[in-house]
Amino acid sequence: RVERELQKSREEFAAAREIQERLFPKASPDLPGYEIAGVSEPAIAAGGDYFDYLAMPGGALGLVAADVSGHGVGPALLMAEARAYLRPLARRLGDPAAILTELQDLLAEDLGQERYITLVLARLDPETRTLTVANAGHPAAQVLSADGRLKTALKRTGKALGRQGAAPF
């Protein structure tokens, strides 16, 4: 009986990982003048790590990296929910701070007191060559020069989602 339960648990985690892997981008965006890449290697079968490329108004590209607190299927479900909200918000709003402020409101009830999401969202405008960033408690993202040197660290602009409250980013 214990062996059957362990096998069932392994199969459920494998299914969760397969579903989560489908949520990650299949390819990096091709944006002239930029090299953009991302990868996620979960430590366990499924978890709360997330990165994505988002369509934004005016031909801009959204870049997102995030992590839900904790490990396992619960954080993976919360990240899938955050992704489901984030994509249409990015297409409609375009401003990283406004997107994170609205995302905070949408997720507040589901995150509860014990969970939170750190997330950095950048809007890259290829026409003006500007990068606009909002960072909800995530470690600083880095912008590198063509030769790989650090140009700037994109520091936090607010607390993690679930910890921010109603305050705007």
Side-chain angles (χ1 to χ4, degrees):
R1 184 175 74 79
V2 171
E3 185 65 32
R4 279 192 309 268
E5 288 179 18
L6 280 173
Q7 182 59 30
K8 182 180 177 186
S9 180
R10 283 188 209 111
E11 290 170 2
E12 288 173 354
F13 271 110
R17 182 176 188 147
E18 179 184 332
I19 291 166
Q20 186 174 28
E21 285 176 356
R22 287 186 201 149
L23 299 178
F24 290 121
K26 306 301 179 260
S28 296
D30 184 20
L31 199 60
Y34 297 93
E35 286 184 44
I36 300 169
V39 66
S40 179
E41 295 292 336
I44 58 173
D49 296 333
Y50 170 62
F51 81 96
D52 207 352
Y53 311 116
L54 308 171
M56 294 182 128
L61 175 67
L63 306 164
V64 61
D67 188 17
V68 176
S69 62
H71 302 284
V73 175
L77 289 171
L78 287 171
M79 188 48 65
E81 179 185 8
R83 178 188 184 270
Y85 285 132
L86 194 54
R87 288 177 150 235
L89 287 172
R91 278 193 296 273
R92 182 171 52 88
L93 298 175
D95 175 56
I99 292 166
L100 291 189
T101 298
E102 193 159 329
L103 184 62
Q104 165 70 20
D105 293 342
L106 292 167
L107 291 172
E109 185 177 321
D110 295 343
L111 288 171
Q113 296 298 315
E114 65 282 347
R115 296 270 185 219
Y116 60 90
I117 300 174
T118 65
L119 186 148
V120 60
L121 174 61
R123 179 183 188 273
L124 176 60
D125 186 329
E127 289 292 315
T128 62
R129 298 188 59 81
T130 57
L131 188 69
T132 307
V133 179
N135 184 331
H138 203 68
Q142 299 178 344
V143 177
L144 305 178
S145 65
D147 64 3
R149 286 184 296 153
L150 178 66
K151 286 179 80 171
T152 189
L154 307 171
K155 298 184 172 96
R156 295 178 179 125
T157 60
K159 294 179 183 176
L161 300 170
R163 301 284 194 247
Q164 179 79 4
F169 282 86

